[in-house]
Amino acid sequence: PIYTVCHFVDGQEFRTTSLPQADFCKWMHKHVFLVGKKDPIEFKEQLASRTLNLELHDCDEEMKDKNEPPIFSYGLAKFHLNDLLNPHCSNVKLRSDVFPVKRGAQNNENNLDLNTTAKKEERAIEKSSEYYNHGTFFVISVDLAFNIGEFDEAFELEELKRKLAEEQEQEV
């Protein structure tokens, strides 16, 4: 099965439904991120400086031990959402190529078995990804219910200082 994991700019993440392996996969998945209760200054800064990341998991295998985190290679697509800070922009359609991301190297330091100690320097065998050869890409569409407005650093800094001063006055 193939599935994706989306990491939003503020740390939220979700997983799509799995699709069977095929030459062409199209998720018609919709997800709503509710950001109305977030600090607007911090959210604008996140949109300006962070990326929305989509992980393509197509090489995962069944794990024997369900408690161990999976360590398989996957594909990664990154999207910059700073266009949403334009006060005249309420939707964007973005395309990004998928790049391979290798899993972490195996740690055999604590393994003292004589049969495996000699293989300490051996690299783990990994499937080569065909993302480049097949021209794998993601297309996403982002629609806003309300325009966000631009991130004016000087204005936002003054607003933040004003809010902090008000909070300090309330504490006293």
Side-chain angles (χ1 to χ4, degrees), residues 118-137:
K119 299 179 186 176
K120 218 176 211 183
E121 298 300 318
E122 182 180 344
R123 297 278 182 216
I125 298 172
E126 296 186 24
K127 292 181 185 177
S128 64
S129 59
E130 294 290 322
Y131 302 129
Y132 294 131
N133 296 343
H134 294 299
T136 307
F137 63 92

Side-chain angles (χ1 to χ4, degrees), residues 26-153:
K26 189 172 186 177
W27 286 272
M28 294 303 290
H29 184 86
K30 290 186 180 184
H31 190 84
V32 176
F33 289 102
L34 301 173
V35 295
K37 294 196 175 200
K38 295 198 176 297
D39 179 21
I41 297 170
E42 184 180 346
F43 183 64
K44 287 179 183 179
E45 183 180 344
Q46 290 171 344
L47 282 176
S49 61
R50 297 185 183 169
T51 58
L52 179 136
N53 297 330
L54 287 177
E55 296 176 359
L56 174 62
H57 291 265
D58 61 340
C59 299
D60 293 6
E61 298 172 10
E62 197 67 32
M63 297 291 288
K64 291 178 184 174
D65 184 6
K66 299 289 183 188
N67 296 330
E68 271 189 47
I71 51 171
F72 300 109
S73 301
Y74 57 91
L76 181 66
K78 293 186 174 201
F79 298 91
H80 293 277
L81 300 178
N82 50 2
D83 286 343
L84 296 174
L85 296 174
N86 181 342
H88 305 291
C89 179
S90 62
N91 62 354
V92 292
K93 190 171 185 178
L94 303 169
R95 180 190 188 276
S96 175
D97 292 328
V98 176
F99 299 96
V101 176
K102 290 191 175 191
R103 65 182 176 148
Q106 291 180 336
N107 183 4
N108 292 330
E109 280 182 21
N110 298 330
N111 192 352
L112 296 178
D113 185 3
L114 288 175
N115 292 331
T116 58
T117 305
K119 299 179 186 176
K120 218 176 211 183
E121 298 300 318
E122 182 180 344
R123 297 278 182 216
I125 298 172
E126 296 186 24
K127 292 181 185 177
S128 64
S129 59
E130 294 290 322
Y131 302 129
Y132 294 131
N133 296 343
H134 294 299
T136 307
F137 63 92
F138 274 109
V139 175
I140 64 168
S141 179
V142 180
D143 298 307
L144 298 175
F146 300 100
N147 292 357
I148 295 173
E150 58 191 21
F151 181 70
D152 181 1
E153 189 174 348

